[in-house]
Amino acid sequence: MSEEPRLFGTPREWAKDLAIATAVGVFFGIIGPFGSFLGGTIEIRVAYWVANMWIGFVMLTTIVRLAIRVAAPLDLPIWFALALGVAIGVVPLSIVLAYFSAMVWPPNHGHLTPLFNQYGQVLAISEPFAFGYYFLLDRGWTGAVRGARPVAPDAIDAPPPAGTGAGFLDRLPPRLGRDLLCLQMEDHYVRVH
């Protein structure tokens, strides 16, 4: 039986995501991309970038998961849904971050970055980050896309006995088909998608 993945993830996944966002924020605070190295002390830069990464993670993770879920019934490729979801999600994220920067970033205090510039900067960070994150740390979004459903016990086909020399795909029940998407390790079991 397969359990459908939660659309918005588990608390444990969010904790890991925010830890990754914190690490990326610290890194960006140290290197100071987009001219941010010119303003404030390193502590202010790190705090600013960590806050930016947290806001971005929360907004984009939610929007991308929704985009991937909507793309599934339309049979759109994952990469397209991911790219489009990020491109659309960066619009509200850019607005939020532009106002955030105007309120807390010392060089911008009281001044909004032009939204087109803000959009380009946020997109330049978000697209490659989202693709790397998705393909390196698959969070079960593939299951959310495919709409994994429980399998009825009478629909289970017994695989051929192990050690018969059959190839891996030949040992799988025929109802699964032969289009292998991924293998997912679960303790000492392997889940085939």
Side-chain angles (χ1 to χ4, degrees):
M1 295 270 219
S2 175
E3 182 181 313
E4 185 168 340
R6 294 183 189 182
L7 175 60
F8 296 109
T10 64
R12 185 176 182 180
E13 288 174 340
W14 279 97
K16 288 180 183 178
D17 291 348
L18 289 177
I20 292 170
T22 302
V24 172
V26 169
F27 175 72
F28 281 175
I30 292 169
I31 66 168
F34 302 113
S36 63
F37 61 88
L38 296 173
T41 64
I42 191 165
E43 294 85 6
I44 292 173
R45 281 199 321 261
V46 167
Y48 169 77
W49 277 105
V50 167
N52 271 295
M53 291 296 113
W54 282 7
I55 293 167
F57 252 89
V58 169
M59 289 182 71
L60 282 182
T61 297
T62 303
I63 290 168
V64 165
R65 282 177 175 262
L66 285 170
I68 291 174
R69 178 64 68 101
V70 168
L74 302 175
D75 202 26
L76 296 173
I78 298 279
W79 64 266
F80 181 78
L82 189 62
L84 188 61
V86 171
I88 292 169
V90 165
V91 173
L93 180 58
S94 296
I95 294 168
V96 168
L97 291 179
Y99 281 98
F100 177 74
S101 291
M103 291 185 329
V104 303
W105 187 238
N108 288 358
H109 198 66
H111 301 287
L112 277 176
T113 302
L115 290 179
F116 186 75
N117 291 351
Q118 185 76 26
Y119 178 84
Q121 292 174 359
V122 174
L123 188 66
I125 291 173
S126 299
E127 283 286 0
F129 197 85
F131 271 87
Y133 185 77
Y134 175 79
F135 289 108
L136 295 176
L137 298 173
D138 182 11
R139 294 289 197 205
W141 293 355
T142 303
V145 169
R146 302 288 178 223
R149 293 178 296 276
V151 178
D154 59 347
I156 297 174
D157 300 323
T164 59
F168 178 76
L169 291 175
D170 294 332
R171 295 187 319 205
L172 297 176
R175 67 177 167 71
L176 292 179
R178 296 294 177 253
D179 295 329
L180 180 63
L181 297 175
C182 76
L183 299 174
Q184 179 180 358
M185 184 180 77
E186 294 180 4
D187 197 47
H188 59 280
Y189 297 100
V190 175
R191 183 181 299 244
V192 178
H193 296 275

